[in-house]
Amino acid sequence: VSNGGGVDLNDVKMLSSLCVRDSEVSSSVNKLISDAEQLQRNATNVMTTCSKLLQLNCFLHQNELRCCLLDLKTIQSDFKSQQLESAARLLRSSGIEAVIATKLLSVTWLVDTFSHPIIFESANGSVQSHSIDRISVDDLQLLYDRNPVSASSRGGNDLDNEVLRVYNLVKDLHRLAQEWRKTARSLINLDKDPMFSEIIRVETIEAITQSHILSKVKFPELCTLKNAASAAHEVKEMLVNELFRDEYHGIDVNKSRLPDKSSLLAASGDFLLYRFTGSEMYSAIEKALNSLKEISSQLSVMTEDKVTVDWMVKVFDWVTSLRDAVTEQTAVEGPNNMRLVLKVDHALSILEHGHVVFYSIPDEVQQQLSLNKITTKILPRRLSVEMMKQSTFTLGLSLLKWSVLLFECLKVDLDSQDSWKEAVLDVSETYQLFEANGLVATFGGVTAYNDKVVELVSVTANLVVQDEDLIRSLFRLFDKINNSDVFKKQLELERVASEERRFLAEKNRFESPSNIVSSRNDHLDSLLARLSSENGDVASQDEDSLFVSDDATVRDKSRVFLEKSLFKGVETLGLELNKRTRDFVSNMAWELELAIFMKYCSNEALSSEYREKVRSLRFNLQDPKNPMLCTRVVSGQLEIPDLIVMSTDALASKQLKQIRQQVVQDAIKNVVISPGSNKTSSGITSELAKKIRIESIKKSKATTEKPASVPRSSPQARSALSPGSASFSPMQANPPTLSTFDNNALSELLAAIPPPPVVGKERPSQPLAPPTFDNGVFPSMMTMQPPPHESSSFENSHSHGHHIPSN
């Protein structure tokens, strides 16, 4: 036995029967048998009691279970004591010691599990108490790892019912805890790349933080999720309040009309980028985004609002990078070389960055913008940001509109630079061919080539995106052209030939009889069309005329004309014509008319200066080619006292000024003074026109009977219906015949019209004889329709500053 041989209790009992009674050996053997039997009985009693207990709900018999645990530990210690070591060896073959160890492990695990009563809350049907502590997820994991259900007995064999019941409870709770923990860790994993992180809604985070598993298990990730939910709510609220809810009340660069997307350099010369980045609104946007970025950085969860904030920050950073790339260094020489430009490589890099920012906008960001009444259209060739109805100009909307505007302008400027680059390379290649072969015919036309080079040089000064190397190459080419004798000689030859062709064309224009007659007929038809109608009421036939007898009516019509002109100017600017706008324009028109009256009328009578000023302002304020005048007046930049004293040339648009200057230059070039001609040319004076009008009105009133009806094909009918008739009016149903206008008046009128200048010949000293009537019918020119610009009101030609030059 002491040597650990395969001897059991039965073998020792057989040996005892062979021993001599009352001998020392017999006593030792009998004592060993007695100890083994006693140990066996104690172990059997404890295991029987434990087995019965494990068939019950041990959670309700925890005291008995603890007592059983003590007994099992006592028996196990007896098996391991030195005094009973030999007796324990005799029982080892029966396996009772291994059974005791298994029972001890199960009971110990049950006692440890029952120390966390929260596990058995729903299982026992008891009401949850807030005083019961939750089990930590680490302790639950430890219980699950130490469960007595081994891999060999996981099917339920040789296991007590209570052990299996408690094990299933722990297993289910452990499974739910692991699922929750996996979800939570996937949300707050800070090692993920934000670009590839899943976007989580705040409602999802709140649902996770309110899971029923949290009533039993404590997770260290719960605190992080709660902080994330709180930060997400703060970011959401601050995003709406700072960028999308409250209307910006500072100096708003959106109050005036946004420029078109033609270039970063506006037509007025303003640099659009600095108009935005140099405003108070830009500083307010920067401050709001910095606050949002600081709070958003504390949010470990990628929510929709955090994605929106990050994208808005990227948009703002793109605008900032565009601003930082602007430089004043340019390769253009001259007085305008200190301009704001972008180098072509920087512009391309910024444009590519802008493509990444704007064309990678997440769908969640677009949904957030839509909730804040902002629509974004991301098209392959165009970006646009629009505000929905009942929305206001917020900081977020302003940032998006301006950033998209600057992005589109940058694309246009790069396209312009590309077109300019292609043209420069083309002219450079042409000149290289000329240098190689020496043939002037290489240019095709030296004048056209020179004009193209000059135009490219002039365009260079207006380029926003510049390629310095290409600009210097163009300037070197320009210097070569100016220093080339062959090129300059051929250029001069072509210019002389062009001047000769122009001179011959002008000569043909003034010497051709058909041109002379057509010009005189046009003047005559235009003047006859201005004669009054039969009743003599001029104002009733022309609503646009200010020549009425009642001064009060003239002033009222002046206010109406100015109001309509301002309305057209406002419509040209693209402003909405609501009630407030109409009231504002009406008040301004009233003040403008009053200022004109006080300036140009010394007494109650209206002066000609008053009428001319009203007509001039009426034309220029509604001119769609001169929108800046109306903009300056409506915005208050141009005060009314300054406006009413401006000359016609100052009011006119740039295009009209160029046309007037060209007309004056052409008139100066075309004047030919022939020998013996008078220094002063006669013309139709206002007194003569008034005399003709009064005479025709009197004769038309003296006509009491209507002319007899004649066939439509007769000369009389054609004469009566012609616009050149003396008493013709478009408003009349039955216009009078030409007979109401006498031949003397027509003779005087025709004699007053100066003949055109004669090129190369002396002008006749006697005036051209007027045409005669044939059977009361005016010559064929009276049946011609007057040109539209000539048949308009006579006053317009004065008020607009257009005068027919007298050659």
Side-chain angles (χ1 to χ4, degrees), residues 484-770:
S484 174
D485 295 335
V486 176
F487 189 89
K488 289 191 294 183
K489 182 178 180 180
Q490 184 64 25
L491 181 63
E492 184 64 26
L493 291 175
E494 290 188 4
R495 287 179 178 175
V496 171
S498 176
E499 288 294 333
E500 290 180 354
R501 289 192 297 269
R502 182 179 176 184
F503 176 78
L504 292 176
E506 292 292 332
K507 181 179 180 181
N508 179 64
R509 172 187 172 188
F510 289 105
E511 288 184 349
S512 175
S514 60
N515 292 339
I516 296 175
V517 174
S518 298
S519 178
R520 292 170 63 86
N521 291 344
D522 291 342
H523 285 297
L524 181 60
D525 291 345
S526 176
L527 292 174
L528 292 178
R530 292 301 304 156
L531 295 177
S532 61
S533 59
E534 183 178 6
N535 55 10
D537 188 2
V538 180
S540 62
Q541 304 300 332
D542 188 2
E543 294 182 356
D544 293 336
S545 177
L546 294 180
F547 287 101
V548 293
S549 57
D550 190 357
D551 290 345
T553 305
V554 173
R555 293 195 62 184
D556 292 339
K557 293 190 68 175
S558 299
R559 298 186 187 103
V560 174
F561 292 160
L562 294 175
E563 184 181 29
K564 290 181 179 179
S565 301
L566 289 173
F567 275 142
K568 290 184 179 179
V570 170
E571 289 177 353
T572 303
L573 296 176
L575 300 180
E576 183 180 0
L577 293 180
N578 51 29
K579 185 177 183 302
R580 295 180 58 186
T581 306
R582 293 182 180 277
D583 294 341
F584 174 80
V585 171
S586 299
N587 292 335
M588 177 169 287
W590 185 281
E591 296 175 0
L592 182 57
E593 187 279 335
L594 180 60
I596 297 173
F597 179 81
M598 298 298 294
K599 175 69 176 178
Y600 296 101
C601 299
S602 58
N603 48 31
E604 294 298 327
L606 299 181
S607 61
S608 59
E609 291 84 358
Y610 171 90
R611 291 184 170 90
E612 291 178 358
K613 180 57 67 175
V614 171
R615 297 190 197 99
S616 179
L617 290 178
R618 176 195 175 192
F619 170 81
N620 289 283
L621 287 175
Q622 67 183 7
D623 187 7
K625 298 181 180 179
N626 190 16
M628 288 305 300
L629 178 62
C630 186
T631 302
R632 293 171 60 196
V633 174
V634 174
S635 62
Q637 296 181 0
L638 181 58
E639 299 292 338
I640 290 179
D642 299 331
L643 174 65
I644 63 176
V645 297
M646 292 176 66
S647 62
T648 304
D649 292 335
L651 292 173
S653 62
K654 182 178 180 180
Q655 181 179 3
L656 187 55
K657 291 178 182 178
Q658 294 176 353
I659 294 175
R660 290 176 179 173
Q661 185 179 3
Q662 185 65 32
V663 170
V664 173
Q665 293 177 356
D666 293 342
I668 294 175
K669 292 179 181 180
N670 295 332
V671 171
V672 177
I673 302 177
S674 59
S677 63
N678 295 330
K679 294 184 178 180
T680 59
S681 61
S682 61
I684 301 177
T685 62
S686 59
E687 290 79 9
L688 177 58
K690 185 176 180 182
K691 178 180 178 182
I692 296 173
R693 177 176 300 186
I694 294 174
E695 183 178 356
S696 62
I697 291 174
K698 290 180 179 180
K699 294 197 174 197
S700 63
K701 287 184 178 181
T703 304
T704 57
E705 294 182 358
K706 295 183 179 180
S709 60
V710 294
R712 175 169 292 185
S713 59
S714 65
Q716 290 84 352
R718 291 196 303 268
S719 146
L721 296 176
S722 63
S725 302
S727 54
F728 171 80
S729 175
M731 302 300 295
Q732 287 181 268
N734 299 312
T737 61
L738 185 64
S739 59
T740 58
F741 189 69
D742 65 347
N743 195 16
N744 294 330
L746 283 175
S747 301
E748 185 178 1
L749 180 62
L750 289 174
I753 299 177
V758 180
V759 180
K761 293 183 179 181
E762 188 177 83
R763 181 182 299 173
S765 58
Q766 67 275 11
L768 183 65

Side-chain angles (χ1 to χ4, degrees), residues 74 92 192 221 234 238 258 273 281 289 321 329 422 505 534 574 581 588 601 644 669 700 717 719 725 765:
T74 301
R92 185 168 297 170
K192 287 185 178 180
E221 297 85 359
E234 187 175 359
M238 190 172 182
L258 288 178
L273 176 63
M281 174 178 285
L289 287 178
S321 65
Q329 299 178 357
E422 293 179 1
E534 183 178 6
T581 306
M588 177 169 287
C601 299
I644 63 176
K669 292 179 181 180
S700 63
S719 146
S725 302
S765 58

Side-chain angles (χ1 to χ4, degrees), residues 186 190 446 654 717:
S186 66
L190 302 179
V446 174
K654 182 178 180 180

Side-chain angles (χ1 to χ4, degrees), residues 200-242:
I200 307 299
R201 296 176 59 87
V202 181
E203 293 78 6
T204 304
I205 302 176
E206 292 179 342
I208 293 176
T209 58
Q210 296 174 1
S211 176
H212 68 279
I213 190 66
L214 299 176
S215 62
K216 294 185 177 182
V217 184
K218 294 185 297 183
F219 297 91
E221 297 85 359
L222 179 61
C223 181
T224 305
L225 281 178
K226 286 186 175 180
N227 293 336
S230 177
H233 278 291
E234 187 175 359
V235 170
K236 183 181 185 66
E237 183 179 358
M238 190 172 182
L239 175 65
V240 174
N241 291 336
E242 292 288 341

Side-chain angles (χ1 to χ4, degrees), residues 378-536:
I378 310 299
L379 302 177
R381 295 183 177 272
R382 183 176 60 88
L383 301 177
S384 64
V385 176
E386 302 296 338
M387 54 189 300
M388 299 181 183
K389 293 182 179 180
Q390 298 179 353
S391 59
T392 57
F393 272 106
T394 59
L395 291 179
L397 176 62
S398 301
L399 172 61
L400 295 179
K401 288 183 72 69
W402 272 97
S403 59
V404 169
L405 171 67
L406 296 175
F407 179 76
E408 294 295 327
C409 289
L410 180 61
K411 288 200 303 183
V412 173
D413 288 330
L414 278 171
D415 292 340
S416 301
Q417 196 274 340
D418 290 340
S419 302
W420 175 85
K421 179 180 179 180
E422 293 179 1
V424 171
L425 294 177
D426 181 60
V427 296
S428 300
E429 183 180 358
T430 303
Y431 196 83
Q432 289 177 1
L433 292 176
F434 166 71
E435 290 180 331
N437 54 34
L439 298 177
V440 180
T442 305
F443 299 106
V446 174
T447 303
Y449 180 84
N450 182 75
D451 294 341
K452 186 175 182 180
V453 174
V454 172
E455 181 183 1
L456 289 174
V457 172
S458 62
V459 170
T460 303
N462 297 324
L463 287 177
V464 178
V465 180
Q466 295 186 355
D467 188 343
E468 295 183 354
D469 296 335
L470 204 58
I471 290 176
R472 294 189 178 94
S473 175
L474 177 63
F475 285 164
R476 287 194 295 269
L477 174 62
F478 185 70
D479 293 338
K480 289 181 180 179
I481 291 175
N482 292 333
N483 297 328
S484 174
D485 295 335
V486 176
F487 189 89
K488 289 191 294 183
K489 182 178 180 180
Q490 184 64 25
L491 181 63
E492 184 64 26
L493 291 175
E494 290 188 4
R495 287 179 178 175
V496 171
S498 176
E499 288 294 333
E500 290 180 354
R501 289 192 297 269
R502 182 179 176 184
F503 176 78
L504 292 176
E506 292 292 332
K507 181 179 180 181
N508 179 64
R509 172 187 172 188
F510 289 105
E511 288 184 349
S512 175
S514 60
N515 292 339
I516 296 175
V517 174
S518 298
S519 178
R520 292 170 63 86
N521 291 344
D522 291 342
H523 285 297
L524 181 60
D525 291 345
S526 176
L527 292 174
L528 292 178
R530 292 301 304 156
L531 295 177
S532 61
S533 59
E534 183 178 6
N535 55 10

